Amino acid sequence: MMQATLEVGEDNGRYVLHAWCVMPNHVHVLIEPRIPLRSIVQAWKAYSGRWALANNGRLALGIAGEAFWMRDYWDRFIRSDAHLRAVVAYIGNNPVTAGLCARAEQWQWSSARRRREETPAAEW
């Protein structure tokens, strides 16, 4: 569901989606915003939060209370091509670092998997 939310914003021209990874308790996203970042994050949180709360019981998500997301978010400016590559690698490797999979492309809730599927084997 979060993956679909991220892709809708890209399809609507609100941002360019470079990398993403949905973890069990947080999300990493690298975008190039076309509108104010706070508007993008607010839309993500509103849509996915409403969905999670509405489906909490059916999916046994264990959400207590009426809030799904923390109030804040952390953002960073990408300052160079090297920084961009490092951030994409960090996002892709997050589930590996957390011990959720052995290789980044194994995590199905990540752009690393899609990037691997779309890249010819000769470029690996």
Side-chain angles (χ1 to χ4, degrees):
M1 196 286 307
M2 189 67 206
Q3 173 184 341
T5 302
L6 296 171
E7 291 170 347
V8 165
E10 182 176 41
D11 291 344
N12 289 339
R14 294 178 179 163
Y15 49 82
V16 176
L17 181 60
H18 292 286
W20 54 270
C21 181
V22 179
M23 298 291 287
N25 63 351
H26 65 282
V27 178
H28 292 275
V29 182
L30 176 61
I31 63 170
E32 189 176 329
R34 302 289 191 225
I35 64 172
L37 183 59
R38 69 183 173 278
S39 299
I40 295 167
V41 174
Q42 179 184 19
W44 288 341
K45 287 182 174 186
Y47 180 77
S48 60
R50 279 193 304 271
W51 183 91
L53 292 170
N55 291 281
N56 186 26
R58 181 175 65 84
L59 298 175
L61 299 174
I63 302 168
E66 296 180 13
F68 182 71
W69 291 103
M70 290 176 36
R71 187 177 203 89
D72 265 344
Y73 62 91
W74 290 268
D75 59 353
R76 303 284 183 275
F77 286 102
I78 302 299
R79 306 208 181 274
S80 66
D81 288 340
H83 187 200
L84 175 65
R85 287 188 300 275
V87 171
V88 169
Y90 173 83
I91 290 171
N93 285 312
N94 208 254
V96 177
T97 303
L100 299 170
C101 58
R103 294 186 324 271
E105 64 271 10
Q106 293 174 319
W107 190 247
Q108 68 182 15
W109 303 281
S110 169
S111 57
R113 181 181 182 110
R114 181 173 11 148
R115 200 173 348 272
R116 178 67 177 250
E117 291 169 352
E118 294 173 356
T119 304
E123 295 182 29
W124 296 343

